[in-house]
Amino acid sequence: MDARDALRIAAGATGTATKLKLAAPAAVLFLVFLIILGVAGAGTNAQAADSCGDRGQPGADLPEPSEPGTGQNPGGSLREQQITNAKVIDKTAETGGLSGQATLIALMTALQESTLLNIQHGDRDSIGLFQQRPSQGWGTRQQILNPEYSSKMFFFGADSGSPRGLADILGWESLPLWKAAAAVQHPAKEYEQLYAGQEGAARQIASEAGINLLRQGRGGSQLPGPDANGPDESQECYTGGGTPGKPGAPFHDGAADWPSVVKNPRSTADAIAWAEETAPGTGKQWYQLCLAFVAKTYGWSYSGVQYAIDHYRQMPPTMKHDKDRNPPPGALMYWDTGHRAGHVAVYLGNGKIASNDIGRPGYIDVVPATDIEKKWGATYLGWAPPYFPKGG
């Protein structure tokens, strides 16, 4: 393993977001770090992550890090530095009226660019948490090495409007997290989705730092969405139609054939079998990844949609069965959790679902479908076929 490979492993990706983080001084710094801590590599996934939120989270902490001593979870004083920097980033966002979502995007970006460490090296003149370049108008070297200044530049950009910060990106709150990060950082196209692989580590650090990623923005920080023909509903929860069923009322098996356009790598029977038999033993990697899980159940690597609520909203109207408590086995069931993301689970039949986080944070458990209402106080929205037109 040479120094460049060591740096890549420490940063938790096969390459940096812009091929700009491989300068020899930084590599030497991380190589020493690897030798001291015995880093084995973060092994992040470059596929877009699918987030999932919940109301009344069951009082449990985030899952423990995969192992101490990785680039994302370095432990010791380096971990303390990451947490300190995360707090600075969040304070800058909150002071500027931005939401916790903005903080999450910034943490994902800094993890990919610098492993959330305020490094003084980088490709050409790139330095700091976000590897900003003095020659590109981000500030002087001294300014960029100030985490408060560099965070402010990431969020709000230069007063002249160039370079642009996150808040200058029209409709940034409706973009996938990794796309919002890429819109600020401008990496090469093939490296954009590397930011997505940092979401889990970013959420873990936020939890350790006491950062509220569900904080709402204030004072008009929410910008218009890309659809100029109507209001942006990307931050609203889907309300649907019909009459709400009584919370906690039992679910019964319905009978319905999927429309012909519903085609998945796994059949419904195989998906149910996988969710019942295999998923509970897959580990604790599913924290707040409900949509990613149901897509995986049907054989997809990713759903192609950021949030569970959006997945239900974007279903063709004929596929949405609002408030109906008679889903057929294999259906996807959706809940309004009071937060942006919502929740989705696979209905297994006999009133049971396979769901992440409800039994144990991060794990998949087979539980009564009524638990989502009873334990989380969520509102059942309805069910839909396992339709993933953007899946891959």
Side-chain angles (χ1 to χ4, degrees), residues 4-5 7-17 19 22 42-46 112 190-191 194 198:
R4 288 176 180 267
D5 291 333
L7 176 57
R8 287 189 180 100
I9 293 175
T14 57
T16 63
K19 290 187 177 179
L22 301 179
T44 56
N45 184 353
Q112 179 60 36
E190 62 266 31
Y191 297 111
L194 291 180
Q198 303 292 352

Coordinates of all heavy atoms in Angstrom, one line a residue, residues 4-5 7-17 19 22 42-46 112 190-191 194 198:
R4 N -0.7 7.1 -1.3 CA -2.0 7.6 -1.9 C -3.1 6.6 -1.6 O -4.2 7.0 -1.3 CB -1.8 7.7 -3.4 CG -1.0 8.9 -3.8 CD -0.8 8.9 -5.4 NE 0.0 10.0 -5.8 CZ -0.5 11.2 -6.2 NH1 -1.8 11.4 -6.2 NH2 0.3 12.2 -6.5
D5 N -2.8 5.3 -1.6 CA -3.8 4.3 -1.3 C -4.2 4.5 0.2 O -5.4 4.3 0.5 CB -3.3 2.9 -1.5 CG -3.1 2.6 -3.0 OD1 -3.8 3.2 -3.8 OD2 -2.3 1.8 -3.3
L7 N -4.2 7.1 2.0 CA -5.1 8.3 2.1 C -6.5 8.0 1.6 O -7.5 8.4 2.2 CB -4.5 9.5 1.3 CG -5.4 10.8 1.3 CD1 -5.6 11.2 2.7 CD2 -4.6 11.9 0.5
R8 N -6.6 7.3 0.5 CA -7.9 7.0 0.0 C -8.7 6.2 1.0 O -9.9 6.4 1.3 CB -7.8 6.2 -1.3 CG -7.4 7.0 -2.5 CD -7.5 6.2 -3.8 NE -7.1 7.0 -4.9 CZ -5.9 6.8 -5.5 NH1 -5.0 6.0 -5.0 NH2 -5.6 7.5 -6.6
I9 N -8.1 5.2 1.6 CA -8.7 4.4 2.6 C -9.1 5.2 3.8 O -10.2 5.1 4.4 CB -7.8 3.2 3.1 CG1 -7.7 2.2 1.9 CG2 -8.4 2.5 4.3 CD1 -6.7 1.1 2.2
A10 N -8.3 6.1 4.3 CA -8.6 6.9 5.4 C -9.7 7.8 5.2 O -10.5 8.1 6.1 CB -7.3 7.8 5.8
A11 N -9.9 8.3 3.9 CA -11.0 9.2 3.6 C -12.3 8.4 3.3 O -13.3 9.0 3.2 CB -10.6 10.0 2.3
G12 N -12.2 7.0 3.3 CA -13.4 6.2 3.1 C -13.9 6.2 1.7 O -15.1 6.1 1.5
A13 N -13.1 6.3 0.7 CA -13.6 6.3 -0.7 C -12.5 5.8 -1.6 O -11.4 5.8 -1.3 CB -14.1 7.7 -1.1
T14 N -12.9 5.3 -2.8 CA -11.9 4.8 -3.7 C -11.2 6.0 -4.4 O -10.2 5.8 -5.0 CB -12.6 4.0 -4.8 OG1 -13.6 4.8 -5.5 CG2 -13.3 2.8 -4.2
G15 N -11.7 7.2 -4.3 CA -11.0 8.4 -4.8 C -11.6 9.5 -4.2 O -12.7 9.5 -3.6
T16 N -11.1 10.7 -4.2 CA -11.7 11.9 -3.6 C -12.7 12.5 -4.6 O -12.7 12.1 -5.7 CB -10.6 13.0 -3.3 OG1 -10.0 13.4 -4.5 CG2 -9.6 12.4 -2.4
A17 N -13.5 13.4 -4.1 CA -14.5 13.9 -4.9 C -14.0 14.7 -6.1 O -14.7 14.7 -7.1 CB -15.4 14.9 -4.1
K19 N -10.5 14.5 -7.2 CA -9.1 14.2 -7.4 C -8.1 15.2 -6.9 O -7.0 15.4 -7.4 CB -8.8 13.9 -8.9 CG -9.5 12.7 -9.5 CD -9.0 12.5 -10.9 CE -9.6 11.2 -11.5 NZ -9.2 11.0 -12.9
L22 N -5.0 14.4 -2.9 CA -4.0 13.4 -2.8 C -2.6 14.0 -2.8 O -1.6 13.3 -3.2 CB -4.1 12.5 -4.1 CG -5.5 11.8 -4.1 CD1 -5.5 10.9 -5.4 CD2 -5.7 10.9 -2.9
A42 N -12.7 2.7 5.6 CA -14.1 2.9 5.9 C -15.0 2.2 5.0 O -16.2 1.9 5.4 CB -14.3 4.4 5.8
G43 N -14.7 2.0 3.8 CA -15.5 1.2 2.9 C -16.8 1.7 2.6 O -17.8 1.1 2.7
T44 N -16.9 3.0 2.3 CA -18.2 3.6 2.0 C -18.8 3.2 0.7 O -18.1 2.8 -0.2 CB -18.1 5.1 2.1 OG1 -17.1 5.6 1.1 CG2 -17.7 5.6 3.5
N45 N -20.1 3.4 0.5 CA -20.8 3.0 -0.7 C -21.1 4.3 -1.5 O -21.6 5.2 -0.9 CB -22.1 2.3 -0.3 CG -22.8 1.8 -1.5 OD1 -22.4 2.1 -2.7 ND2 -23.8 1.0 -1.3
A46 N -20.7 4.3 -2.8 CA -20.9 5.5 -3.6 C -22.4 5.6 -4.1 O -22.7 6.6 -4.7 CB -20.0 5.5 -4.7
Q112 N -16.0 13.9 3.0 CA -15.4 13.4 1.7 C -14.2 14.2 1.3 O -13.2 13.7 0.8 CB -16.4 13.6 0.6 CG -15.9 13.1 -0.8 CD -15.5 11.7 -0.8 OE1 -16.1 10.8 -0.1 NE2 -14.4 11.4 -1.5
E190 N -17.9 12.1 -12.5 CA -17.8 10.7 -12.1 C -17.6 10.6 -10.6 O -17.7 9.5 -10.0 CB -16.7 9.9 -12.8 CG -15.3 10.5 -12.6 CD -14.9 11.5 -13.7 OE1 -15.8 12.2 -14.2 OE2 -13.7 11.5 -14.0
Y191 N -17.3 11.7 -9.9 CA -17.0 11.6 -8.5 C -18.2 12.2 -7.6 O -18.1 12.3 -6.4 CB -15.7 12.4 -8.1 CG -14.5 11.7 -8.8 CD1 -13.8 12.4 -9.8 CD2 -14.1 10.5 -8.4 CE1 -12.7 11.8 -10.4 CE2 -13.0 9.9 -9.0 CZ -12.3 10.5 -10.0 OH -11.2 10.0 -10.5
L194 N -19.8 10.3 -4.7 CA -19.0 9.9 -3.5 C -19.5 10.6 -2.3 O -19.3 10.0 -1.2 CB -17.5 10.2 -3.8 CG -16.8 9.3 -4.8 CD1 -15.4 9.7 -5.0 CD2 -16.9 7.9 -4.5
Q198 N -21.1 9.3 2.3 CA -20.7 9.8 3.6 C -21.9 10.1 4.5 O -21.7 10.5 5.7 CB -19.9 11.1 3.5 CG -18.6 11.0 2.6 CD -17.6 10.2 3.2 OE1 -17.7 9.8 4.4 NE2 -16.5 9.9 2.5

